[in-house]
Amino acid sequence: MSIPSTFRLAALSILLLALPVQAQEASPTLYYAYAAAESDDAVFLVQFDGQDAEVVKRIPVGFYPTENEGAHGLTVSPDGAHWYLSLAHGQPFGYLLKYETGSDELVGRTELGLFPATMSISPATGLLYAVNFNLHGQMEPSTVSVVDVETMTEITQIETGVMPHGSRLSPDGRRHYSAAMMSGELYEIDAVTLDVSRILDLATGESVPITTMDHGGMDHGGMDHGGMDHGGMDHSGMDHGSMDHGSMGDSAPSPTWVSPHPSAARVYVANNGSDEILEVDTDTWTVLRRFEAPGRPYNVAVTPDGAQLVATYKGAGAIGVWDLEGGTERVRLPSSRTVTHGVVISPDSRYAFVTAEGLGDEAGVVDVIDLADGSLAATVEIGKQAGGIAFWKMEDAQP
């Protein structure tokens, strides 16, 4: 005996109504990133729910209430348990601070070099590698500080080029890359032996011979920094955002950032001075492609799926989304402030989180870019001179 269709439809409706709400409507994903405001001495925890972005916490940092200490670079540990911040302006040297994620409690600090900037942690060694950008004095080679983050001890400093920036590691954590802005070179460091393994001249694309100096074995831990009197320097009035990096020194490329590909033997370098982004083959140590990128590219980040690259254009106040296979810029859109700075990408390759500095007393922002269509998904104001940014976690929203 057949069941009438009206009875079948009624039974199906009852079953659908009985299903849990969670099975009918997927919970939205929440994205969290930490962003630093250099002129506010504060770090902001930003939440994005797929539609709106908001500041959920403002974390004051620094130790001298009357001085601007320059909250600059940020990174989160591979296990997500801690985040790290470089304070660029010290007396005379800067500091690395360690915080617990979630509670955002300060749990450790150590002194680094002159103007420590960007940093990253190797999943292979567990060590942190921070570039000492060194804005002080003469244009001379600076260093990469290597830190044991368990004890918060600087193990050594490895000498590289002039004004190193963009500290990043290969996916396996065994090779460290940084760009020397004023000497125009890409440096590769063996993250295990702590030796410089290769140098590439970014203007010519040619490999540079490594000197016989053993920088990895130098003991900087015993250096007496206390005798240097930089305490009287007034850094608070320095506008790093408006610096014309392309005209400084002798380096035409003026590279400011490097980003490894997540799966291929490639790194991408932002040449701020020559308005181009370079694709470097790390197997052959040669430049494969040079992408024309007018607007002073400053930071670059490759999506975890390896398909796209996001570039910030500090001179143009813009953000570019590149298709890496074709080597073309899919879209370029204005950032919410005129001086675009840092960029990180969510682990699902869906969103880019971009900082843009404010001018004068203007607040900086975090712009969220939808990488599916290259549109501005959301923006939120944080503190003045927004700069360093690091992605923390993704999680499902609570019902």
Side-chain angles (χ1 to χ4, degrees), residues 187-258:
Y187 277 80
E188 181 187 78
I189 292 173
D190 186 314
V192 177
T193 66
L194 307 183
D195 293 318
V196 173
S197 50
R198 291 185 293 187
I199 307 171
L200 187 68
D201 186 317
L202 295 173
T204 65
E206 297 179 357
S207 182
V208 177
I210 300 172
T211 65
T212 56
M213 291 180 65
D214 182 15
H215 303 302
M218 294 175 69
D219 179 15
H220 295 267
M223 292 177 67
D224 181 14
H225 304 306
M228 296 179 65
D229 183 17
H230 293 267
M233 297 180 67
D234 181 10
H235 303 293
S236 59
M238 296 179 68
D239 182 6
H240 306 303
S242 62
M243 291 173 65
D244 182 2
H245 301 305
S247 64
M248 294 174 63
D250 299 322
S251 170
S254 294
T256 49
W257 206 261
V258 56

Side-chain angles (χ1 to χ4, degrees), residues 318-367:
I319 303 158
V321 182
W322 288 74
D323 168 52
L324 284 181
E325 183 177 358
T328 57
E329 190 175 52
R330 288 181 48 226
V331 64
R332 180 180 288 214
L333 66 161
S335 57
S336 298
R337 295 290 186 269
T338 54
V339 184
T340 322
H341 195 114
V343 56
V344 291
I345 298 172
S346 58
D348 59 2
S349 300
R350 180 62 194 277
Y351 297 104
F353 295 77
V354 179
T355 55
E357 306 172 21
L359 295 178
D361 289 333
E362 185 181 37
V365 300
V366 174
D367 284 334

Side-chain angles (χ1 to χ4, degrees), residues 41 61-67 69 87 95-97 99 106 108-109:
D41 279 354
V61 298
F63 305 97
Y64 304 103
T66 60
E67 294 187 20
E69 295 170 77
L87 286 183
Y95 287 92
L96 173 69
L97 308 184
Y99 293 82
L106 177 65
R109 74 166 177 165

